[in-house]
């Protein structure tokens, strides 16, 4: 990874968290099989590429993403928002299945679904597909300072 890892970002900010390793995950089925965690505590982070950089969107795992709402929250045209490919994730220093809302990359917008701040303990990506971070959602929001919006379809 280039730059600090999500765990290093949390450590540097003094945010309490824990992490654990597991078999690589890429799909929801992998998550169910490998993590066995309550779905209501799981955050998925989607990465998008725009002409100006990246948009990272963290939301409850089971909610469907509303691309139009994501574009609006990020302040970009829907036509300019495309899912990040593996080359884009390399720029972010992240692996598919491990995308995290925590990055120090300058050209990014981070959006959290409106329910995230009140979710309590959550599990999110670490940047790697074989490690997951456990952190308090409110602490994560305080650190990331994302745009908060309803981005579910």
């Amino acid at each position: 990874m280039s730059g600090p890892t999500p765990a290093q970002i949390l450590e540097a900010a003094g945010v309490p968290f824990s992490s654990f390793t597991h078999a690589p995950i890429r799909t929801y089925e992998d998550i169910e099989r490998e993590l066995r965690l309550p779905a209501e505590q799981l955050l998925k982070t989607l990465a998008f590429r725009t002409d100006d950089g990246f948009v990272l969107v963290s939301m409850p795992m089971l909610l469907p993403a509303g691309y139009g709402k994501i574009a609006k929250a990020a302040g970009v045209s829907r036509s300019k928002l495309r899912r990040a490919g593996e080359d884009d994730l390399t720029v972010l220093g992240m692996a598919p299945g491990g995308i995290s809302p925590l990055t120090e990359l300058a050209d990014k917008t981070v959006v959290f679904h409106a329910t995230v701040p009140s979710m309590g303990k959550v599990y999110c990506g670490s940047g790697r597909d074989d490690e997951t971070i456990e952190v308090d959602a409110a602490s994560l929001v305080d650190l990331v300072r994302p745009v908060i919006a309803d981005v579910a379809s």
Side-chain angles (χ1 to χ4, degrees), residues 20-91:
F20 56 94
T21 58
H22 46 73
I25 56 174
R26 301 261 321 236
T27 66
Y28 183 69
E29 290 74 25
D30 293 343
I31 291 166
E32 283 186 313
R33 182 182 62 254
E34 298 299 331
L35 300 185
R36 296 189 180 106
L37 295 169
E40 62 273 6
Q41 290 180 283
L42 298 175
L43 285 184
K44 64 181 170 189
T45 301
L46 308 173
F48 297 91
R49 188 70 187 219
T50 69
D51 293 343
D52 300 321
F54 291 91
V55 175
L56 300 173
V57 180
S58 286
M59 59 192 303
M61 178 65 69
L62 298 178
L63 287 180
Y67 286 36
K69 290 181 176 182
I70 290 168
K72 182 177 179 181
V76 298
S77 164
R78 169 64 184 100
S79 65
K80 302 288 185 186
L81 189 72
R82 65 175 173 76
R83 287 294 294 261
E86 290 199 33
D87 289 344
D88 298 319
L89 294 181
T90 299
V91 172

Side-chain angles (χ1 to χ4, degrees), residues 52-133:
D52 300 321
F54 291 91
V55 175
L56 300 173
V57 180
S58 286
M59 59 192 303
M61 178 65 69
L62 298 178
L63 287 180
Y67 286 36
K69 290 181 176 182
I70 290 168
K72 182 177 179 181
V76 298
S77 164
R78 169 64 184 100
S79 65
K80 302 288 185 186
L81 189 72
R82 65 175 173 76
R83 287 294 294 261
E86 290 199 33
D87 289 344
D88 298 319
L89 294 181
T90 299
V91 172
L92 285 169
M94 297 186 196
I99 302 169
S100 175
L102 294 158
T103 180
E104 290 189 349
L105 189 69
D107 60 342
K108 53 88 171 69
T109 300
V110 182
V111 178
F112 280 11
H113 186 271
T115 59
V116 172
S118 62
M119 286 179 67
K121 178 174 62 176
V122 294
Y123 299 91
C124 68
S126 67
R128 297 173 22 183
D129 64 0
D130 65 350
E131 182 180 26
T132 295
I133 290 175

